Amino acid sequence: MKGQFSNWQQVLEHQAHTNSNHIALSVYHGSDSQALTYSQLAQRAKALANTLSQHNKFGDRVMLLMPNGIDYVVAFFACIYAGVVAVPIYPARRKARDWRRLNSIVQDCQPNTLVCLSQDSNATEDWCKAHNLKINTVFADKLNINDATLWQTANIDTHDIAYLQYSSGSTGQPKGVMLSHYNLLSNTGLIIDTYDMCQSDIMINWLPLYHDMGCVGGILSPIRAGATIHILASAKVAQNPYVLLQAITALKATVTAAPNFIFDLAVEKVTATQRSTLDLSSLRILINGAEPVNAHTLDNFYDYFHYNGLAKNAVKPSYGMAEACLLVTATPINKPYKLLSVDSQAFSIDKVKVDPASAKHIASSGQLIEQIPLRIVDVNTRMPLPDGQIGEIMYKGDSVTRGYWQKPELNEQTFNLNIEGDPGFMATGDLGFVEQQQLYVTGRKKEMLILHGCNYYPQDIEHSLTSLSKQLTPHGAAIFEVAHDNNTKELVLVQELTRESMRYDDYVPLFKQIRAIIAQEHELRVTAIVLIKPATLSKTSSGKIQRLACKQAYINNELEAVAKWQQAPISNAAIAPIKAFDPPHIASWIMQWISNRLGQAVNTLSSSQQLMQIGLDSIDAMSLVHELSRQLDLSIRVEIVLNHPSIEQLSIYLAQQYAQKSQAPANEMPTEGML
């Protein structure tokens, strides 16, 4: 039962009274799991809320800075009970970029209190001191449960802000979406109705809780439905989706969700032997969202796992945004996903021509929802377009938020817009078309990149190359993604050279530097780089970079290229197991793995090189950790790669750990990381 409520305090109070002994949350570690009932969750939230009320007044911002787990959910609801605005953030790893992003969010929302775990007290204290931040610190794992009796109810209005949702990706100017109790109640109600969620559902949530799909879809919706949520470590699933599929089998889970890349990774990583152990027949809702949905991915995933009981009706592509809380369109319960065959030539120039005989298939991102009126409009005139024509996606409804925190000009440009006199629409910047009440998303007018489920702003990646200003023209770069018909994608950088670097005879070292910077700063792997003549990058008269025009020039081979680098095809050849577990043999195996992964000759690699400088992205790093864990029979954390950055240092550490294994078996768990 979703019930009728005016705020989220009432939601949890209702579940605590009517489903008091029903398991609300569990952190799943196989046979060893921690769990809280609904009454225990409410009690712990009240106890922490009492502490928060001593440090904050109604409406103050409280930043949640901790890994996925029960404490995160307790802290979120403690903010609700205290009447303060939660600001969920992912915990910073040992990277300058993470701390810079935190600083920019602090400047934007001005939090009064930081909630973290006691194990992170030194790191957060050092951060606050280094930046002269006057923020109270509260430890979620040090609450006094007896304080629950001291909690006093807050006078919460349904239109009060419940929390600020900041982008999950790298942003130069962070935008905090203001999600009200009313917005969230509206959207979770639609989610529950669309997927027929109920108390008997078993949700597996491995998505980061600072992400809209992880929080709204994976926590708030099932809690409102009274379901049970099992939390998995994000990094473990991102390393190997078999962990997720194994948990579905063991728990007989009925609901889970993942971005498109996890579906691809599952087909790639799960072996035939592992697949034979899976039973996915309990799964009735498997949502594919958070990044563009790929038709080949859906078919490949279903073809690979349908022998394990996966129902075609269970796979649910969807479309959503934090600005609408989460859900905008969805594949309804008991209906399979839809693919549309279109003429590929016409589609390449943004024309939709349905052709049943075509090999070009595009996936629907779900059916239109009556409560979220959606229109496709001309990108220039904002006049509505008929079905089958590509334009900008705009929508409105009770789920749509009032805008971004402290961004009045941007809000005016984005929210409460008119379409032929009909007010209240939000401009998404996404492109798509509607065909037979199905939404097909075709691209992004705004040039944000969605990679591995995260948002990346091109200007942030381009700006990171300023340290090479002697060789590369400042503000002379354009980065974009190019999709090909064979289901592959390229991340392409086009960069102007300076007059000085135009005289170079060899650009190989420069290519290596560019790849290393982007990998280190953004955990992304560039697959093509084109260095062009100075002052030839496509720009507007006011000097703004025209990335879409640059992308078209790249596709048409019209760039004034001086030098090009293209990643060689990735090798699928099997790598021989590590022969001996000493540093040289481990290092040799790592270099062979990198060679296969990046299509780079082994003789160009050195054990003294730092892994991230070679050009590995975050998914590469997780895959390497997974393979090393399997080869060495050790449980290795992704963080180990950061602490031992070179191949040589990592090899020495792993050899030592392997030697100690018989005396002290490793029990390290992967840490939470960006997806």
Side-chain angles (χ1 to χ4, degrees):
M1 270 303 278
K2 65 179 182 179
Q4 298 299 317
F5 309 100
S6 64
N7 63 60
W8 281 88
Q9 177 187 303
Q10 294 175 0
V11 173
L12 187 51
E13 284 295 284
H14 170 78
Q15 299 296 2
H17 286 95
T18 60
N19 297 319
S20 58
N21 295 320
H22 191 69
I23 297 296
L25 296 170
S26 164
V27 175
Y28 180 69
H29 297 309
S31 59
D32 177 26
S33 298
Q34 304 166 279
L36 282 185
T37 65
Y38 273 102
S39 62
Q40 290 170 332
L41 173 59
Q43 187 181 29
R44 287 183 63 173
K46 289 176 184 176
L48 186 57
N50 180 68
T51 302
L52 293 177
S53 297
Q54 295 171 14
H55 296 287
N56 303 275
K57 63 182 183 297
F58 189 91
D60 278 349
R61 275 73 60 207
V62 173
M63 184 177 282
L64 310 182
L65 190 64
M66 57 190 114
N68 272 19
I70 287 175
D71 289 320
Y72 208 122
V73 182
V74 169
F76 181 92
F77 274 98
C79 291
I80 297 292
Y81 275 96
V84 296
V85 178
V87 184
I89 303 294
Y90 70 85
R93 294 181 289 168
R94 298 188 182 185
K95 291 207 168 202
R97 176 172 62 90
D98 292 347
W99 293 109
R100 285 199 303 271
R101 183 172 181 276
L102 283 179
N103 291 337
S104 64
I105 291 172
V106 167
Q107 291 171 12
D108 189 63
C109 72
Q110 297 293 304
N112 192 56
T113 298
L114 169 68
V115 182
C116 64
L117 300 180
S118 56
Q119 68 188 34
D120 297 320
S121 59
N122 291 337
T124 53
E125 184 179 346
D126 292 345
W127 169 54
C128 290
K129 282 183 179 178
H131 299 280
N132 196 29
L133 301 175
K134 307 299 182 186
I135 304 178
N136 300 306
T137 302
V138 172
F139 300 119
D141 55 339
K142 295 295 183 182
L143 59 82
N144 182 348
I145 199 66
N146 295 322
D147 286 350
T149 60
L150 304 176
W151 168 77
Q152 294 183 349
T153 184
N155 184 22
I156 302 170
D157 183 82
T158 192
H159 295 291
D160 286 335
I161 300 171
Y163 79 101
L164 298 180
Q165 174 68 65
Y166 280 90
S167 167
S168 61
S170 166
T171 64
Q173 295 182 334
K175 296 183 296 185
V177 181
M178 299 182 285
L179 300 165
S180 72
H181 290 262
Y182 182 75
N183 298 143
L184 290 163
L185 288 167
S186 173
N187 203 249
T188 54
L190 294 177
I191 291 170
I192 290 168
D193 288 344
T194 299
Y195 298 125
D196 197 20
M197 291 177 66
C198 61
Q199 182 181 339
S200 62
D201 271 317
I202 300 170
M203 159 73 79
I204 291 183
N205 186 9
W206 66 278
L207 295 161
L209 300 185
Y210 56 81
H211 192 283
D212 54 355
M213 193 154 73
C215 183
V216 180
I219 297 294
L220 297 184
S221 295
I223 281 180
R224 188 173 176 188
T228 294
I229 306 161
H230 295 281
I231 299 174
L232 295 185
S234 299
K236 291 185 75 174
V237 175
Q239 286 175 29
N240 187 7
Y242 178 64
V243 172
L244 173 61
L245 301 175
Q246 199 176 34
I248 292 168
T249 301
L251 297 168
K252 299 190 184 305
T254 58
V255 187
T256 193
N260 192 81
F261 84 91
I262 285 293
F263 288 72
D264 283 328
L265 200 61
V267 174
E268 176 192 340
K269 289 282 188 183
V270 176
T271 66
T273 302
Q274 290 174 327
R275 185 176 52 170
S276 68
T277 68
L278 299 175
D279 178 4
L280 306 180
S281 60
S282 64
L283 197 62
R284 61 186 195 85
I285 302 167
L286 174 54
I287 299 167
N288 182 325
E291 63 181 11
V293 179
N294 184 280
H296 294 287
T297 297
L298 296 176
D299 278 347
N300 291 344
F301 184 85
Y302 174 71
D303 289 345
Y304 195 68
F305 290 107
H306 80 275
Y307 292 110
N308 302 93
L310 177 68
K312 197 163 193 176
N313 286 356
V315 182
K316 303 294 184 190
S318 65
Y319 169 73
M321 301 179 73
E323 289 82 350
C325 297
L326 179 62
L327 188 72
V328 175
T329 63
T331 306
I333 199 74
N334 296 327
K335 288 191 177 180
Y337 60 85
K338 286 186 176 290
L339 304 182
L340 191 67
S341 299
V342 296
D343 181 270
S344 58
Q345 229 175 358
F347 196 72
S348 68
I349 55 172
D350 284 345
K351 303 292 183 186
V352 180
K353 182 180 177 182
V354 178
D355 179 5
S358 173
K360 173 73 176 178
H361 304 301
I362 53 175
S364 164
S365 291
Q367 186 172 298
L368 304 189
I369 296 173
E370 182 181 357
Q371 295 88 336
I372 305 182
L374 184 146
R375 303 283 186 273
I376 305 297
V377 301
D378 183 277
V379 294
N380 297 311
T381 66
R382 290 235 165 100
M383 294 295 290
L385 296 173
D387 285 4
Q389 286 196 26
I390 295 174
E392 183 175 5
I393 300 166
M394 297 181 69
Y395 57 77
K396 68 175 184 175
D398 292 339
S399 295
V400 180
T401 68
R402 72 187 75 172
Y404 307 112
W405 178 262
Q406 305 288 13
K407 300 282 190 296
E409 291 182 8
L410 183 59
N411 291 340
E412 190 175 342
Q413 298 165 11
T414 309
F415 296 89
N416 199 27
L417 303 175
N418 285 298
I419 299 178
E420 287 192 319
D422 189 5
F425 283 90
M426 181 206 161
T428 66
D430 292 335
L431 301 175
F433 67 94
V434 171
E435 182 74 22
Q436 297 184 343
Q437 291 295 298
Q438 299 284 324
L439 176 67
Y440 295 85
V441 181
T442 61
R444 307 185 73 82
K445 187 184 76 170
K446 55 184 183 181
E447 296 156 329
M448 182 193 295
L449 301 167
I450 301 182
L451 304 165
H452 309 322
C454 290
N455 299 337
Y456 293 87
Y457 286 83
Q459 59 268 28
D460 292 346
I461 303 172
E462 295 153 5
H463 182 74
S464 63
L465 299 174
T466 53
S467 61
L468 299 175
S469 58
K470 287 187 178 179
Q471 299 101 316
L472 306 179
T473 302
H475 310 294
I479 193 163
F480 46 84
E481 193 176 39
V482 177
H484 299 289
D485 283 340
N486 63 355
N487 199 30
T488 61
K489 293 181 179 180
E490 289 183 292
L491 184 59
V492 181
L493 174 74
V494 176
Q495 171 68 60
E496 287 183 356
L497 293 167
T498 60
R499 300 292 178 190
E500 179 182 341
S501 59
M502 279 286 290
R503 296 192 292 268
Y504 286 9
D505 294 323
D506 182 11
Y507 290 98
V508 171
L510 185 55
F511 285 134
K512 287 182 178 179
Q513 285 179 289
I514 291 170
R515 291 166 57 211
I517 288 171
I518 293 175
Q520 285 182 297
E521 287 283 321
H522 306 282
E523 300 181 346
L524 293 174
R525 179 179 1 125
V526 177
T527 52
I529 302 172
V530 183
L531 300 177
I532 60 176
K533 295 178 181 179
T536 60
L537 189 71
S538 183
K539 295 182 179 180
T540 66
S541 57
S542 61
K544 292 181 180 178
I545 297 167
Q546 295 179 306
R547 295 182 184 84
L548 296 180
C550 189
K551 175 179 176 178
Q552 197 59 51
Y554 172 80
I555 293 170
N556 296 340
N557 198 27
E558 295 170 348
L559 295 169
E560 296 189 46
V562 176
K564 296 180 181 180
W565 172 85
Q566 182 81 43
Q567 180 181 290
I570 295 174
S571 170
N572 292 317
I575 305 174
I578 298 174
K579 294 179 181 178
F581 301 107
D582 54 32
H585 282 90
I586 294 174
S588 176
W589 187 92
I590 291 173
M591 286 189 286
Q592 184 61 59
W593 187 93
I594 292 171
S595 171
N596 280 26
R597 187 77 173 188
L598 300 186
Q600 186 172 335
V602 175
N603 60 12
T604 65
L605 299 171
S606 163
S607 62
S608 63
Q609 285 180 284
Q610 296 200 359
L611 287 160
M612 300 311 289
Q613 287 183 345
I614 294 171
L616 298 178
D617 66 13
S618 58
I619 298 300
D620 294 331
M622 289 180 179
S623 296
L624 175 60
V625 166
H626 168 69
E627 292 299 328
L628 285 169
S629 299
R630 192 169 62 84
Q631 289 280 332
L632 299 170
D633 194 23
L634 292 171
S635 183
I636 305 169
R637 301 170 62 170
V638 174
E639 199 175 50
I640 296 302
V641 176
L642 303 178
N643 295 340
H644 303 82
S646 75
I647 296 172
E648 184 178 37
Q649 290 171 322
L650 181 60
S651 301
I652 292 171
Y653 171 84
L654 292 175
Q656 291 171 344
Q657 292 298 109
Y658 184 84
Q660 295 169 9
K661 184 174 64 169
S662 57
Q663 289 83 21
N667 60 358
E668 295 189 81
M669 298 292 292
T671 56
E672 296 303 310
M674 173 134 16
L675 298 181

